[in-house]
Amino acid sequence: MGTLTADCPRLDTHCPHKLATSCRLTSTPQCCACADERPHSRLYRVYIDGVGFVQRGTRWQSYCWFCKEFWNNRLAATDPPLEASQTQIPLIPDQTEFLERWFEFHQGYRTARASDGTQSRIAVIGEPLREVSPGFLPRTLAQLRAGRANDASRPENRTRQQRLTSEEERPEDTQQSIEDALDELLADASHDEEQQEQAGDMPLPLSPPLSRHELRIRQARNNIMRVFGSREDVQRDDYESPLSTIFNRAESRYQQAEERRANGDTAAPPTENMTARERREVEEQILWG
């Protein structure tokens, strides 16, 4: 997918990354990274099915697709390489040089200054921006003819980053692997089981009396369980709601009445020598007919 903001004009209110990222935020002139007000952290929480929340996420993992793709590509094109825990998006890695070159392609020219102070414009022609993925620069015509792939290894996409000091390179916390997270969850589960076993040997303390509000809640819960069943009953495969039973019974009576009407049998049947239940069923059929 290319850059969707290739034909959009650059406004003074735009943040430096708004057009280059093709950010999809429409209510603000800032991109996702500039609008993110969270404090910077080396690790971010991410949810993994079957494991839970672990510290393995990136700051830009919840950005719009274009901003996320932009920062993934820019981080991959950073030289020397940076770990996600070493970044401080949008400050580190610095994208000033990349954005200056990107806007030259966006406006179609580059301004050159001569020794006497005069300025001239030099046309910048290359691959259409709408065909370039966010985070990469357009290829030149010669590169297009040669079939050069536009990826993070292309020299034009590389960004030299000042090497961080040893203090900054050392992460505060190592990323938690899935295996470590599973071991931690299993250890917590076994610890909870031990506490429950120990609590089972101890006498249960007397519960305090319930307030009037708590009594009403318990009574309402008991009424719901009496009508619809307990949670275990509802979760069974053969569970049938009493509401569906009522509607099914009404639908059955309606179909019987329609069959009698189609057969022309609209006369009331004799109710002599019938029990009270049979007489009520006949009355209900007549009522539905």
Side-chain angles (χ1 to χ4, degrees):
M1 184 175 293
T3 304
L4 301 184
T5 53
D7 299 328
C8 296
R10 185 181 184 183
L11 304 179
D12 295 337
T13 56
H14 283 164
C15 74
H17 321 89
K18 186 67 174 182
L19 297 183
T21 58
S22 290
C23 179
R24 296 295 86 197
L25 294 182
T26 58
S27 60
T28 174
Q30 293 182 325
C31 67
C32 295
C34 293
D36 192 351
E37 298 180 352
R38 294 176 298 171
H40 286 281
S41 175
R42 295 184 182 273
L43 301 174
Y44 294 85
R45 297 180 66 194
V46 60
Y47 181 80
I48 299 178
D49 289 340
V51 178
F53 285 98
V54 294
Q55 298 291 339
R56 293 175 56 88
T58 61
R59 183 178 180 85
W60 58 91
Q61 65 187 6
S62 299
Y63 291 173
C64 71
W65 186 92
F66 293 90
C67 283
K68 182 169 61 175
E69 187 73 8
F70 176 87
W71 290 110
N72 284 335
N73 291 336
R74 294 315 306 148
L75 186 61
T78 302
D79 186 25
L82 285 178
E83 297 291 338
S85 59
Q86 296 175 307
T87 61
Q88 291 186 9
I89 304 300
L91 304 177
I92 301 175
D94 185 19
Q95 301 302 317
T96 303
E97 180 182 356
F98 171 82
L99 293 174
E100 290 178 355
R101 291 183 292 168
W102 188 90
F103 278 110
E104 291 177 356
F105 284 95
H106 180 263
Q107 63 190 4
Y109 64 88
R110 179 174 63 252
T111 303
R113 184 184 298 272
S115 58
D116 57 355
T118 59
Q119 296 181 353
S120 60
R121 292 183 177 181
I122 302 176
V124 178
I125 302 175
E127 183 180 10
L129 279 175
R130 62 176 58 90
E131 300 178 4
V132 182
S133 297
F136 292 149
L137 291 175
R139 292 170 291 183
T140 62
L141 297 179
Q143 291 174 339
L144 288 174
R145 296 189 187 99
R148 179 71 166 87
N150 195 4
D151 51 21
S153 62
R154 194 165 70 97
E156 290 81 357
N157 292 328
R158 305 294 294 178
T159 299
R160 293 289 302 176
Q161 176 70 26
Q162 184 178 2
R163 183 172 293 276
L164 302 177
T165 62
S166 58
E167 183 68 20
E168 293 174 335
E169 287 180 350
R170 185 175 65 252
E172 295 177 357
D173 300 317
T174 58
Q175 289 189 352
Q176 187 181 24
S177 63
I178 298 180
E179 292 78 8
D180 295 339
L182 287 174
D183 294 339
E184 184 178 349
L185 291 175
L186 292 175
D188 293 341
S190 61
H191 180 67
D192 294 340
E193 292 178 357
E194 293 177 358
Q195 289 183 345
Q196 292 178 359
E197 292 177 357
Q198 294 176 0
D201 299 335
M202 300 175 59
L204 297 177
L206 296 177
S207 58
L210 299 178
S211 63
R212 182 177 301 178
H213 178 67
E214 292 174 342
L215 288 175
R216 285 200 298 266
I217 293 178
R218 173 174 292 185
Q219 184 178 2
R221 186 180 295 112
N222 293 335
N223 292 336
I224 294 176
M225 291 179 59
R226 185 169 59 253
V227 175
F228 296 98
S230 62
R231 178 178 297 180
E232 291 76 10
D233 296 335
V234 174
Q235 292 178 349
R236 290 189 310 180
D237 296 336
D238 57 348
Y239 173 77
E240 185 176 359
S241 173
L243 296 179
S244 62
T245 304
I246 294 175
F247 284 104
N248 291 337
R249 189 183 302 117
E251 177 68 18
S252 177
R253 291 198 300 265
Y254 175 77
Q255 294 296 337
Q256 293 176 4
E258 287 295 318
E259 291 178 0
R260 293 180 56 189
R261 185 182 295 108
N263 296 331
D265 186 10
T266 58
T271 58
E272 299 178 357
N273 300 327
M274 286 187 178
T275 62
R277 182 175 180 179
E278 293 175 347
R279 188 180 298 107
R280 186 178 59 186
E281 291 179 355
V282 171
E283 292 175 353
E284 290 179 353
Q285 292 179 4
I286 296 175
L287 178 62
W288 277 94

